[in-house]
Amino acid sequence: MKQNGSVIIPTMRYKDAPAAIEWLCNAFGFEKHLVVPGENETIAHAQLNFGNAMVMLGSEDDNEYGKFVKTPKDLNGINTQTPYIIVEEIDDHYSRAIAAGARIVLDIKDEDYGGRGYSCQDPEGYIWNFGSYNPWV
């Protein structure tokens, strides 16, 4: 199997997926790889790239799969998983996220194990972790 990116791709459901896609691209620098519109201004499926990484997302749905997936808003702000994304220019990324309205939950700092990073929430309450620490090198 030829592989260009990560074999692990986080997937998420958003109450307002069209707005989430635009916000994630603006705030964090994701790029639209594929966006499949659904009925009634929803998103059936979207793929957003960040370097060689990807997240997939879609609109909240009560279908067979959707019954097993809830948003942080459905869980009183609780996240059950949070992605970590490696960013070389972490201070610039941090400033970009703040300018777009990201809510910082753990401020940017140098880590004891190396690198520098921060954690923030998007408008629907998902927590995103960004850092310059790269465990692969």
Side-chain angles (χ1 to χ4, degrees):
M1 175 171 89
K2 185 178 178 188
Q3 189 65 43
N4 293 327
S6 175
V7 297
I8 299 174
I9 302 172
T11 61
M12 305 159 139
R13 295 287 185 214
Y14 279 87
K15 292 185 180 299
D16 187 348
I21 290 167
E22 296 306 317
W23 193 89
L24 293 169
C25 291
N26 180 49
F28 297 154
F30 279 96
E31 295 178 358
K32 297 173 191 171
H33 180 73
L34 173 70
V35 177
V36 180
E39 297 178 3
N40 302 319
E41 300 182 25
T42 62
I43 300 296
H45 178 75
Q47 300 168 354
L48 305 180
N49 290 355
F50 190 93
N52 68 347
M54 178 182 286
V55 295
M56 295 191 298
L57 64 93
S59 294
E60 184 178 52
D61 194 343
D62 197 26
N63 61 16
E64 184 178 7
Y65 176 73
K67 292 178 182 178
F68 298 103
V69 180
K70 300 298 177 201
T71 68
K73 288 186 176 186
D74 293 330
L75 301 174
N76 297 318
I78 299 298
N79 281 236
T80 59
Q81 64 177 340
T82 62
Y84 174 78
I85 300 168
I86 301 165
V87 177
E88 289 183 20
E89 300 296 330
I90 191 64
D91 289 290
D92 293 340
H93 192 273
Y94 174 78
S95 296
R96 177 181 182 161
I98 288 174
R103 181 178 165 262
I104 303 301
V105 296
L106 295 173
D107 209 0
I108 194 164
K109 68 175 184 170
D110 295 324
E111 300 292 352
D112 293 338
Y113 51 83
R116 184 168 171 76
Y118 73 97
S119 300
C120 64
Q121 277 185 321
D122 69 21
E124 289 204 20
Y126 282 102
I127 294 176
W128 297 83
N129 304 286
F130 295 96
S132 61
Y133 174 73
N134 184 341
W136 298 109
V137 294

